[in-house]
Amino acid sequence: VCGVKLSAGKPYVKTTSFDESSVVISLGVTGQVSGQVLIAVHHDVACDIASKMCMMPITQLDDLSMSALSELGIIIYKRYFD
């Protein structure tokens, strides 16, 4: 989708905190298993991914780039959990 290769590892539980430079995509999961899936990236990485998805330079996250990142979260979820 955006020229970045992803791979799924073994799921695990992690306690972590995010700083103000983190962008977190939160996906709710329902069905046989319920909970949340969090995808966290640094602000610069989020801008780079959004730039590739929107096919234009993005240096600050706005409604369009946040929408693209949300869509990426859905694509990743559907790829590995659907």
Side-chain angles (χ1 to χ4, degrees), residues 46-64:
C47 288
D48 186 47
I49 291 170
S51 293
K52 291 175 181 173
M53 291 184 73
C54 296
M55 295 186 284
M56 62 186 204
I58 293 178
T59 57
Q60 293 295 320
L61 298 176
D62 58 9
D63 288 342
L64 175 65

Side-chain angles (χ1 to χ4, degrees), residues 4-82:
V4 176
K5 293 189 183 233
L6 302 174
S7 63
K10 183 177 178 184
Y12 62 94
V13 176
K14 181 176 181 180
T15 303
T16 190
S17 60
F18 303 106
D19 62 24
E20 58 274 352
S21 65
S22 297
V23 175
V24 180
I25 302 168
S26 175
L27 301 166
V29 179
T30 60
Q32 289 181 333
V33 175
S34 62
Q36 288 187 313
V37 174
L38 301 177
I39 302 169
V41 295
H42 188 272
H43 180 272
D44 294 339
V45 174
C47 288
D48 186 47
I49 291 170
S51 293
K52 291 175 181 173
M53 291 184 73
C54 296
M55 295 186 284
M56 62 186 204
I58 293 178
T59 57
Q60 293 295 320
L61 298 176
D62 58 9
D63 288 342
L64 175 65
S65 55
M66 293 299 283
S67 177
L69 293 170
S70 295
E71 186 64 27
L72 177 63
I74 293 167
I75 292 167
I76 292 170
Y77 172 81
K78 293 197 76 59
R79 172 70 171 92
Y80 290 103
F81 296 104
D82 206 16

